[in-house]
Amino acid sequence: MGNRLSKIATRTGDAGTTGLGDGSRVDKDALRVHAMGDVDELNSQIGVLLCEALPPTMKHELASIQHDLFDMGGELCIPGYTMITDAQVARLDALLEKYNADLPPLKDFILPGGSRAAAIAHVCRTVCRRAERAIVSVGKSEPINDHPRQYMNRLSDLLFVLSRVLNRVDGGNDVLWEKDRSR
């Protein structure tokens, strides 16, 4: 890869376009660029979550997810390129199974909140869902691999489950939605 980031302010985007990894230029509001930005935002939000007091294993797993998201940004940046694989999707499936195993079944909807870490995990989940929608939109207009979409779908589920786990780590429980609550 070499020393590609020696100059950050290139001014090549001043006209409203950006360069993709294959050398082509596209408008900054192109669907692919939106998807790349949403994945980048998710990675940043997970970085905020990692600033919280988390179980060490979870910290390691989230850091690994950040690397996957950087790979996904690379895949989205280079049309036709593949970086996200079945193995990465399967790893999320395994994490979902692991963290879901000790949670009580959900009988009601839950609200984002509880502990600060759980609330941040919920923000990550919503950004992840947006990134997933952006990737779906790209796939409707040009060919992309299935794995990024599948990865984001699993990751948003995992972030939901982690929010529940984090509330318990903090000594609390889920914040339940009260259907018939007096308003």
Side-chain angles (χ1 to χ4, degrees):
M1 187 168 183
N3 188 7
R4 295 180 51 203
L5 299 176
S6 59
K7 185 177 179 186
I8 299 301
T10 62
R11 294 175 179 71
T12 58
D14 287 354
T17 64
T18 192
L20 295 180
D22 65 357
S24 64
R25 295 205 62 83
V26 296
D27 290 334
K28 287 188 177 189
D29 64 353
L31 292 175
R32 185 174 289 273
V33 178
H34 275 285
M36 290 164 34
D38 288 344
V39 170
D40 187 34
E41 182 181 351
L42 172 59
N43 209 340
S44 296
Q45 290 289 353
I46 290 174
V48 172
L49 178 56
L50 283 166
C51 293
E52 297 295 311
L54 304 174
T57 302
M58 188 183 294
K59 258 190 193 279
H60 174 75
E61 292 158 347
L62 286 169
S64 181
I65 287 168
Q66 281 193 299
H67 286 276
D68 289 347
L69 291 173
F70 203 85
D71 290 345
M72 185 176 302
E75 180 167 330
L76 290 168
C77 182
I78 305 170
Y81 193 64
T82 300
M83 291 187 81
I84 301 299
T85 66
D86 278 331
Q88 289 159 301
V89 176
R91 186 168 37 84
L92 292 183
D93 281 329
L95 289 173
L96 271 164
E97 189 173 324
K98 169 188 164 182
Y99 283 109
N100 232 346
D102 295 328
L103 290 174
L106 276 176
K107 295 179 181 169
D108 295 298
F109 291 106
I110 66 169
L111 299 177
S115 71
R116 178 179 167 84
I120 294 170
H122 276 292
V123 171
C124 292
R125 173 187 56 81
T126 62
V127 173
C128 187
R129 286 287 189 206
R130 179 169 18 98
E132 179 186 9
R133 290 189 302 270
I135 290 168
V136 167
S137 293
V138 173
K140 288 181 177 181
S141 66
E142 56 186 293
I144 60 169
N145 299 311
D146 291 336
H147 294 116
R149 184 187 66 251
Q150 294 164 350
Y151 187 95
M152 296 306 263
N153 186 268
R154 298 309 189 292
L155 181 55
S156 62
D157 290 342
L158 178 61
L159 290 164
F160 177 81
V161 168
L162 291 181
S163 71
R164 297 187 70 209
V165 169
L166 289 169
N167 271 332
R168 281 155 184 78
V169 165
D170 194 52
N173 286 305
D174 298 319
V175 179
L176 300 178
W177 171 61
E178 299 170 9
K179 180 181 177 191
D180 297 322
R181 182 178 74 82
S182 298
R183 291 173 185 33

mmCIF file of all heavy atoms in Angstrom, residues 128-153:
data_model
loop_
_atom_site.group_PDB
_atom_site.id
_atom_site.type_symbol
_atom_site.label_atom_id
_atom_site.label_comp_id
_atom_site.label_asym_id
_atom_site.label_seq_id
_atom_site.Cartn_x
_atom_site.Cartn_y
_atom_site.Cartn_z
ATOM 1 N N CYS A 128 -25.890 1.221 11.913
ATOM 2 C CA CYS A 128 -25.657 -0.005 11.150
ATOM 3 C C CYS A 128 -26.833 -0.297 10.224
ATOM 4 O O CYS A 128 -26.643 -0.658 9.052
ATOM 5 C CB CYS A 128 -25.423 -1.173 12.116
ATOM 6 S SG CYS A 128 -24.934 -2.699 11.312
ATOM 7 N N ARG A 129 -28.043 -0.139 10.717
ATOM 8 C CA ARG A 129 -29.232 -0.360 9.876
ATOM 9 C C ARG A 129 -29.245 0.618 8.692
ATOM 10 O O ARG A 129 -29.612 0.255 7.579
ATOM 11 C CB ARG A 129 -30.513 -0.215 10.692
ATOM 12 C CG ARG A 129 -30.788 -1.361 11.615
ATOM 13 C CD ARG A 129 -31.241 -2.578 10.846
ATOM 14 N NE ARG A 129 -31.700 -3.609 11.767
ATOM 15 C CZ ARG A 129 -31.687 -4.888 11.508
ATOM 16 N NH1 ARG A 129 -31.243 -5.335 10.351
ATOM 17 N NH2 ARG A 129 -32.105 -5.751 12.394
ATOM 18 N N ARG A 130 -28.849 1.855 8.949
ATOM 19 C CA ARG A 130 -28.790 2.837 7.854
ATOM 20 C C ARG A 130 -27.744 2.423 6.833
ATOM 21 O O ARG A 130 -27.977 2.502 5.622
ATOM 22 C CB ARG A 130 -28.500 4.240 8.392
ATOM 23 C CG ARG A 130 -28.408 5.265 7.267
ATOM 24 C CD ARG A 130 -28.393 6.718 7.695
ATOM 25 N NE ARG A 130 -28.068 7.010 9.042
ATOM 26 C CZ ARG A 130 -26.858 7.392 9.481
ATOM 27 N NH1 ARG A 130 -25.845 7.491 8.639
ATOM 28 N NH2 ARG A 130 -26.672 7.696 10.741
ATOM 29 N N ALA A 131 -26.592 1.985 7.313
ATOM 30 C CA ALA A 131 -25.538 1.530 6.399
ATOM 31 C C ALA A 131 -26.017 0.325 5.586
ATOM 32 O O ALA A 131 -25.739 0.225 4.384
ATOM 33 C CB ALA A 131 -24.278 1.194 7.183
ATOM 34 N N GLU A 132 -26.739 -0.553 6.234
ATOM 35 C CA GLU A 132 -27.287 -1.721 5.529
ATOM 36 C C GLU A 132 -28.245 -1.269 4.418
ATOM 37 O O GLU A 132 -28.187 -1.774 3.289
ATOM 38 C CB GLU A 132 -28.013 -2.631 6.519
ATOM 39 C CG GLU A 132 -28.644 -3.852 5.881
ATOM 40 C CD GLU A 132 -29.480 -4.669 6.851
ATOM 41 O OE1 GLU A 132 -29.730 -4.231 8.001
ATOM 42 O OE2 GLU A 132 -29.901 -5.770 6.436
ATOM 43 N N ARG A 133 -29.110 -0.315 4.734
ATOM 44 C CA ARG A 133 -30.039 0.199 3.711
ATOM 45 C C ARG A 133 -29.284 0.838 2.558
ATOM 46 O O ARG A 133 -29.652 0.676 1.387
ATOM 47 C CB ARG A 133 -31.014 1.204 4.336
ATOM 48 C CG ARG A 133 -32.024 0.581 5.276
ATOM 49 C CD ARG A 133 -33.113 1.560 5.700
ATOM 50 N NE ARG A 133 -32.622 2.748 6.357
ATOM 51 C CZ ARG A 133 -32.436 2.880 7.668
ATOM 52 N NH1 ARG A 133 -32.682 1.867 8.484
ATOM 53 N NH2 ARG A 133 -32.011 4.017 8.183
ATOM 54 N N ALA A 134 -28.213 1.543 2.868
ATOM 55 C CA ALA A 134 -27.409 2.176 1.815
ATOM 56 C C ALA A 134 -26.758 1.115 0.928
ATOM 57 O O ALA A 134 -26.701 1.271 -0.307
ATOM 58 C CB ALA A 134 -26.348 3.087 2.432
ATOM 59 N N ILE A 135 -26.281 0.045 1.531
ATOM 60 C CA ILE A 135 -25.669 -1.038 0.748
ATOM 61 C C ILE A 135 -26.715 -1.711 -0.130
ATOM 62 O O ILE A 135 -26.455 -2.038 -1.300
ATOM 63 C CB ILE A 135 -24.960 -2.038 1.693
ATOM 64 C CG1 ILE A 135 -23.716 -1.367 2.297
ATOM 65 C CG2 ILE A 135 -24.585 -3.325 0.961
ATOM 66 C CD1 ILE A 135 -23.102 -2.128 3.454
ATOM 67 N N VAL A 136 -27.917 -1.904 0.389
ATOM 68 C CA VAL A 136 -29.011 -2.463 -0.415
ATOM 69 C C VAL A 136 -29.293 -1.548 -1.603
ATOM 70 O O VAL A 136 -29.469 -2.019 -2.741
ATOM 71 C CB VAL A 136 -30.279 -2.675 0.447
ATOM 72 C CG1 VAL A 136 -31.501 -2.952 -0.416
ATOM 73 C CG2 VAL A 136 -30.055 -3.816 1.440
ATOM 74 N N SER A 137 -29.308 -0.252 -1.391
ATOM 75 C CA SER A 137 -29.547 0.699 -2.482
ATOM 76 C C SER A 137 -28.465 0.601 -3.550
ATOM 77 O O SER A 137 -28.770 0.636 -4.749
ATOM 78 C CB SER A 137 -29.611 2.135 -1.947
ATOM 79 O OG SER A 137 -30.745 2.305 -1.140
ATOM 80 N N VAL A 138 -27.212 0.482 -3.144
ATOM 81 C CA VAL A 138 -26.126 0.324 -4.117
ATOM 82 C C VAL A 138 -26.372 -0.927 -4.942
ATOM 83 O O VAL A 138 -26.256 -0.914 -6.177
ATOM 84 C CB VAL A 138 -24.742 0.248 -3.431
ATOM 85 C CG1 VAL A 138 -23.644 -0.091 -4.436
ATOM 86 C CG2 VAL A 138 -24.414 1.559 -2.735
ATOM 87 N N GLY A 139 -26.738 -2.023 -4.268
ATOM 88 C CA GLY A 139 -26.968 -3.286 -4.951
ATOM 89 C C GLY A 139 -28.103 -3.259 -5.942
ATOM 90 O O GLY A 139 -28.153 -4.079 -6.865
ATOM 91 N N LYS A 140 -29.024 -2.335 -5.793
ATOM 92 C CA LYS A 140 -30.125 -2.199 -6.756
ATOM 93 C C LYS A 140 -29.692 -1.489 -8.021
ATOM 94 O O LYS A 140 -30.335 -1.613 -9.056
ATOM 95 C CB LYS A 140 -31.299 -1.456 -6.111
ATOM 96 C CG LYS A 140 -32.042 -2.277 -5.095
ATOM 97 C CD LYS A 140 -33.207 -1.486 -4.527
ATOM 98 C CE LYS A 140 -34.003 -2.346 -3.552
ATOM 99 N NZ LYS A 140 -35.149 -1.599 -3.007
ATOM 100 N N SER A 141 -28.624 -0.713 -7.934
ATOM 101 C CA SER A 141 -28.207 0.071 -9.098
ATOM 102 C C SER A 141 -26.949 -0.454 -9.773
ATOM 103 O O SER A 141 -26.660 -0.095 -10.908
ATOM 104 C CB SER A 141 -28.013 1.543 -8.704
ATOM 105 O OG SER A 141 -26.936 1.677 -7.815
ATOM 106 N N GLU A 142 -26.174 -1.275 -9.067
ATOM 107 C CA GLU A 142 -24.962 -1.845 -9.658
ATOM 108 C C GLU A 142 -24.610 -3.121 -8.907
ATOM 109 O O GLU A 142 -25.001 -3.297 -7.767
ATOM 110 C CB GLU A 142 -23.809 -0.841 -9.621
ATOM 111 C CG GLU A 142 -23.484 -0.301 -8.239
ATOM 112 C CD GLU A 142 -22.429 0.790 -8.280
ATOM 113 O OE1 GLU A 142 -21.279 0.489 -8.626
ATOM 114 O OE2 GLU A 142 -22.777 1.935 -7.948
ATOM 115 N N PRO A 143 -23.886 -4.015 -9.553
ATOM 116 C CA PRO A 143 -23.578 -5.282 -8.886
ATOM 117 C C PRO A 143 -22.607 -5.107 -7.720
ATOM 118 O O PRO A 143 -21.599 -4.414 -7.842
ATOM 119 C CB PRO A 143 -22.946 -6.135 -9.988
ATOM 120 C CG PRO A 143 -22.734 -5.247 -11.166
ATOM 121 C CD PRO A 143 -23.382 -3.937 -10.914
ATOM 122 N N ILE A 144 -22.973 -5.698 -6.578
ATOM 123 C CA ILE A 144 -22.066 -5.776 -5.430
ATOM 124 C C ILE A 144 -22.216 -7.170 -4.830
ATOM 125 O O ILE A 144 -23.202 -7.865 -5.074
ATOM 126 C CB ILE A 144 -22.326 -4.683 -4.365
ATOM 127 C CG1 ILE A 144 -23.739 -4.776 -3.797
ATOM 128 C CG2 ILE A 144 -22.052 -3.292 -4.907
ATOM 129 C CD1 ILE A 144 -23.957 -3.902 -2.576
ATOM 130 N N ASN A 145 -21.259 -7.551 -4.043
ATOM 131 C CA ASN A 145 -21.288 -8.856 -3.392
ATOM 132 C C ASN A 145 -22.361 -8.901 -2.314
ATOM 133 O O ASN A 145 -22.741 -7.866 -1.762
ATOM 134 C CB ASN A 145 -19.916 -9.145 -2.780
ATOM 135 C CG ASN A 145 -18.837 -9.183 -3.825
ATOM 136 O OD1 ASN A 145 -18.982 -9.845 -4.840
ATOM 137 N ND2 ASN A 145 -17.757 -8.455 -3.587
ATOM 138 N N ASP A 146 -22.824 -10.098 -2.002
ATOM 139 C CA ASP A 146 -23.852 -10.280 -0.975
ATOM 140 C C ASP A 146 -23.316 -10.129 0.443
ATOM 141 O O ASP A 146 -24.051 -9.734 1.340
ATOM 142 C CB ASP A 146 -24.485 -11.672 -1.098
ATOM 143 C CG ASP A 146 -25.333 -11.833 -2.340
ATOM 144 O OD1 ASP A 146 -25.822 -10.809 -2.871
ATOM 145 O OD2 ASP A 146 -25.517 -12.988 -2.776
ATOM 146 N N HIS A 147 -22.043 -10.448 0.652
ATOM 147 C CA HIS A 147 -21.512 -10.501 2.015
ATOM 148 C C HIS A 147 -21.587 -9.184 2.791
ATOM 149 O O HIS A 147 -21.902 -9.213 3.990
ATOM 150 C CB HIS A 147 -20.085 -11.049 2.015
ATOM 151 C CG HIS A 147 -20.037 -12.493 1.591
ATOM 152 N ND1 HIS A 147 -19.389 -12.898 0.456
ATOM 153 C CD2 HIS A 147 -20.587 -13.601 2.137
ATOM 154 C CE1 HIS A 147 -19.527 -14.208 0.328
ATOM 155 N NE2 HIS A 147 -20.255 -14.657 1.323
ATOM 156 N N PRO A 148 -21.323 -8.026 2.189
ATOM 157 C CA PRO A 148 -21.461 -6.789 2.980
ATOM 158 C C PRO A 148 -22.881 -6.590 3.516
ATOM 159 O O PRO A 148 -23.050 -6.216 4.681
ATOM 160 C CB PRO A 148 -21.072 -5.683 1.992
ATOM 161 C CG PRO A 148 -20.121 -6.358 1.065
ATOM 162 C CD PRO A 148 -20.686 -7.755 0.895
ATOM 163 N N ARG A 149 -23.871 -6.873 2.700
ATOM 164 C CA ARG A 149 -25.268 -6.731 3.145
ATOM 165 C C ARG A 149 -25.562 -7.725 4.271
ATOM 166 O O ARG A 149 -26.158 -7.369 5.289
ATOM 167 C CB ARG A 149 -26.209 -6.946 1.969
ATOM 168 C CG ARG A 149 -27.668 -6.717 2.306
ATOM 169 C CD ARG A 149 -28.596 -7.093 1.159
ATOM 170 N NE ARG A 149 -28.550 -8.528 0.898
ATOM 171 C CZ ARG A 149 -27.997 -9.102 -0.169
ATOM 172 N NH1 ARG A 149 -27.449 -8.368 -1.107
ATOM 173 N NH2 ARG A 149 -27.992 -10.411 -0.308
ATOM 174 N N GLN A 150 -25.126 -8.965 4.109
ATOM 175 C CA GLN A 150 -25.347 -9.990 5.128
ATOM 176 C C GLN A 150 -24.616 -9.631 6.424
ATOM 177 O O GLN A 150 -25.170 -9.793 7.522
ATOM 178 C CB GLN A 150 -24.868 -11.349 4.613
ATOM 179 C CG GLN A 150 -25.683 -11.857 3.450
ATOM 180 C CD GLN A 150 -24.996 -12.994 2.705
ATOM 181 O OE1 GLN A 150 -23.823 -13.293 2.926
ATOM 182 N NE2 GLN A 150 -25.730 -13.621 1.802
ATOM 183 N N TYR A 151 -23.397 -9.149 6.290
ATOM 184 C CA TYR A 151 -22.595 -8.770 7.455
ATOM 185 C C TYR A 151 -23.317 -7.679 8.246
ATOM 186 O O TYR A 151 -23.426 -7.764 9.473
ATOM 187 C CB TYR A 151 -21.208 -8.301 7.014
ATOM 188 C CG TYR A 151 -20.265 -8.039 8.152
ATOM 189 C CD1 TYR A 151 -19.381 -9.028 8.583
ATOM 190 C CD2 TYR A 151 -20.243 -6.812 8.803
ATOM 191 C CE1 TYR A 151 -18.504 -8.797 9.638
ATOM 192 C CE2 TYR A 151 -19.373 -6.577 9.861
ATOM 193 C CZ TYR A 151 -18.508 -7.573 10.272
ATOM 194 O OH TYR A 151 -17.652 -7.336 11.321
ATOM 195 N N MET A 152 -23.797 -6.664 7.563
ATOM 196 C CA MET A 152 -24.459 -5.556 8.257
ATOM 197 C C MET A 152 -25.752 -6.017 8.920
ATOM 198 O O MET A 152 -26.101 -5.548 10.003
ATOM 199 C CB MET A 152 -24.725 -4.399 7.294
ATOM 200 C CG MET A 152 -23.449 -3.795 6.746
ATOM 201 S SD MET A 152 -22.292 -3.283 8.023
ATOM 202 C CE MET A 152 -22.707 -1.580 8.114
ATOM 203 N N ASN A 153 -26.462 -6.932 8.268
ATOM 204 C CA ASN A 153 -27.689 -7.453 8.859
ATOM 205 C C ASN A 153 -27.383 -8.171 10.170
ATOM 206 O O ASN A 153 -28.056 -7.959 11.186
ATOM 207 C CB ASN A 153 -28.388 -8.383 7.864
ATOM 208 C CG ASN A 153 -29.726 -8.843 8.372
ATOM 209 O OD1 ASN A 153 -29.821 -9.887 8.999
ATOM 210 N ND2 ASN A 153 -30.742 -8.056 8.112
#
